Amino acid sequence: MLKEQIGMALDSLRANKFRSLLTMLGIIIGAGTLVAVLSLGNALQSSVFEQFVDLGTRRIAVEPGDPRAKGARDVPGYGLLSIQDYRVLEDLAAARPDLFRTVVPEVAVNTEVRAGTTAIRALLVGTSADYPEVQTVPMLAGRFLTAADEADGARVGVLGYLVARDLFGAEREALEAAVGRSIEVNGQPLTIIGIVDENGGPFSTDGRVFAPVSTVRLRLVGDLDLPGRGLQVNSVLLGLTSEQLVDPAEAAIVAALRSARNVPEGAINDFEVNTPTQALSVLQGINGAITGFIALVAGISLVVGGIGIMNIMLVAVTERTREIGVRKALGASDGDVLGQFVLEALALSIVGSLIGIAGAIAIVVLIGAVTGIGAPISWSAVAIALGFASLIGIGFGFYPARRAAMLQPIEALRYE
Amino acid sequence: MSTDYITSPIVQISDMVKEFPTGDGAFRALDGVSIQVDQGEMVAIMGPSGSGKSTLMTLIGLLDTPTSGRYILDGEDVSSLSRLEQARVRNRKLGFVFQNFNLLPRLSAVQNVELPLVYGRVDSRQRRAQASAALEAVGLGAKLHNLPNTLSGGQKQRVAIARALVHNPAIILADEPTGALDTRTGAEIMALFRELNREQGRTIIVVTHDPEIGRHMDRVIGLRDGRLAENILSEYYGVEVFERVEREHGLEPVPVPVRRQGEASRI
């Protein structure tokens, strides 16, 4: 019976192709919007993630402990980090590749930077070639530091956007021309090998000058060593393999450092571990709100489409009153007629949503090809669109179908 | 002898009343009608417009429910069935032929004929076989896959008749089956009904206002103003009229049975 009724439903769609298409328009637009926006939204969001936030949410920063904190021990150099701590974390990362991708030191010193007659103050940051793995570094011109620069202690530096602008002006040509020029940092010559583009936000690189750690230590700044502990390090950034692993990674770091730094049992950590949990939850909140809003808009469109279906089904019931009478005379029960018209509404909404989904996939693929955003089709959005459209079809088809089913056979037969 | 078979009643209606609500009170379309139709009979229900003959037809066909009265169809009391049970009875025991054919325009002849079997949950292979056989029986074996609009009026009515008998119902109800046909085609359709009645023993009830059809029935049930009327053929249309018409056409007058007062009524 179901097979026959599905056949009847599709047949009736074919009988009024143009009208069916118009009826389905709301559903087509609704389902298409849902799939397209959710797919593109996901893609856009993941590209945003990659560029700005992802690195920030996938790293843990180890920073000096606060000597004024309650419970801090009164020892010289309390809380400070050194290259030894960095080595400990490097070993930890090598031992736990499941948690950590990379470890990067930051040796920061406030310095005077001079180009020709212009001088400004900027934060000189000694770091390694892996820095872009824990911090987004969009290059405006030139390149970032390499391992070879570090090994050679090369006199090279990378300027943050604001530093470069203050020294060379905002024009792009001027900034690009600056690559290869020499500046003075702390009175020492440094060749600019790259300029980082503007990238505001909490992890901004804009006000910084980057140079290899070896260069900073040996050539630019005087003695930065802590007594007996080697080079002082301002922070150590650890890139995580996944933001899901923040908690185990934090625990591993704390255990390794407490042991290496001989923190007595019961004493507080003499270092700080900053996790991205808060940034992550804010991000997820924003993400949820945006997704919810999009879903709401698409849902409204689907509901409007459903009203269109109900409207046309009511027309169909009126138009086909005699047919209903004939079918009832031949033995169709109320349930048979109800099923037939509900299935017809369902067919309208399913075919409509399939058309919309197909269109959305085409659009998403096209946009992906043109813009180069890798936009995967959100199959969950496809499933939601299809499922929701089906519910709408059944929901809005039910009332007209019930009207058809409850007609008295003789009244339906005599209907003119 | 086959008398037992012939006399077993198929339709037994007693004291049936049907009222329709109107602006000024209920209009009584049927006022206590009792009839009986036996198996294998071919009966006409006749009467002028407004006599209640169509109402009686819809009640026999379970297309509507009576205000009061008792109806036994093929040994089963169908006076107060639920809508679902009514649909089941229509599907199993009744075959309908309508004045305007009422074929579904987007279905082929054979698909139209299959409809009662679809609702009877017959599987598709058997359905197709039965429907083809039924169309064969009404002389349309070559038109199985024609859509209704490619068929003549007579052919359409044959499809409708095939549809009315494909599920082997207890009775076939025909409402003005020749009303939309020319005289010759109408005569062919009535001949087909007679053939089905004689050769397959089908019980057929025809609603008509055409005395020419009435005269060729086994029996005529007359109605006037919602009540049974005896000798409706002779009284309402007038025997003299027939005789005059027949003479004009050069035909021998057919005697019409006129029931005398006091004779026990079969009706």
Side-chain angles (χ1 to χ4, degrees), chain B residues 32-253:
Chain B
V33 170
S34 303
I35 63 165
Q36 176 172 324
V37 176
D38 292 340
Q39 180 147 28
E41 259 195 313
M42 187 158 162
V43 177
I45 299 175
M46 293 188 71
S49 347
S51 62
K53 62 182 190 297
S54 293
T55 303
L56 180 58
M57 167 84 170
T58 61
L59 293 176
I60 296 173
L62 289 177
L63 294 171
D64 207 349
T65 40
T67 308
S68 69
R70 192 171 152 83
Y71 177 12
I72 293 167
L73 171 64
D74 198 17
E76 185 185 350
D77 190 340
V78 295
S79 312
S80 52
L81 295 181
S82 71
R83 286 172 65 98
L84 178 62
E85 290 163 336
Q86 280 187 345
R88 296 264 177 276
V89 171
R90 282 199 296 272
N91 185 245
R92 285 201 317 272
K93 300 207 168 166
L94 300 170
F96 290 93
V97 177
F98 303 97
Q99 176 174 5
N100 45 19
F101 324 125
N102 274 336
L103 300 179
L104 300 191
R106 291 187 48 78
L107 300 184
S108 68
V110 70
Q111 285 174 321
N112 263 290
V113 176
E114 279 181 37
L115 279 174
L117 304 176
V118 169
Y119 291 117
R121 298 341 191 229
V122 176
D123 78 76
S124 63
R125 185 170 309 193
Q126 195 193 337
R127 218 157 64 201
R128 184 54 57 103
Q130 269 179 260
S132 305
L135 279 169
E136 205 85 47
V138 298
L140 282 179
K143 303 271 187 187
L144 295 185
H145 302 292
N146 284 45
L147 287 177
N149 61 13
T150 67
L151 298 173
S152 71
Q155 288 170 331
K156 283 183 201 170
Q157 199 57 302
R158 281 168 191 271
V159 173
I161 292 169
R163 186 175 68 182
L165 56 83
V166 68
H167 52 306
N168 207 18
I171 47 174
I172 294 176
L173 291 167
D175 189 4
E176 303 278 8
T178 61
L181 302 173
D182 62 62
T183 317
R184 222 188 90 191
T185 318
E188 283 172 14
I189 290 297
M190 288 319 295
L192 176 60
F193 274 123
R194 181 48 91 183
E195 186 188 319
L196 292 170
N197 170 253
R198 290 229 173 100
E199 292 179 6
Q200 303 181 12
R202 304 257 179 207
T203 310
I204 299 171
I205 301 176
V206 180
V207 170
T208 184
H209 63 267
D210 184 349
E212 198 55 31
I213 291 174
R215 283 189 328 121
H216 290 94
M217 295 288 149
D218 297 341
R219 185 158 62 91
V220 171
I221 295 168
L223 282 176
R224 183 183 296 116
D225 299 331
R227 292 169 183 271
L228 288 180
E230 296 192 353
N231 303 330
I232 191 87
L233 263 185
S234 53
E235 287 179 19
Y236 187 75
Y237 296 93
V239 176
E240 322 74 45
V241 178
F242 290 133
E243 289 177 353
R244 184 169 54 72
V245 171
E246 281 157 352
R247 289 226 168 75
E248 273 174 12
H249 286 79
L251 298 170
E252 197 59 30

Side-chain angles (χ1 to χ4, degrees), chain A residues 9 29 48 83 87 107 132 195 230 233 247 254 272 274 286 295 311 315 329 343 346 348 350 399 412:
Chain A
I29 292 170
V48 166
I83 199 76
R87 300 280 177 234
V107 178
I195 293 169
V233 173
D247 291 341
V254 168
E272 277 180 18
N274 286 334
I286 292 169
N311 191 16
V315 172
L343 271 174
L346 188 62
L348 275 171
I350 287 184
Y399 170 66

Side-chain angles (χ1 to χ4, degrees), chain A residues 4 6 32 54 147 153 273 285 317:
Chain A
E4 282 82 15
I6 291 171
D54 165 66
V273 180
V317 169

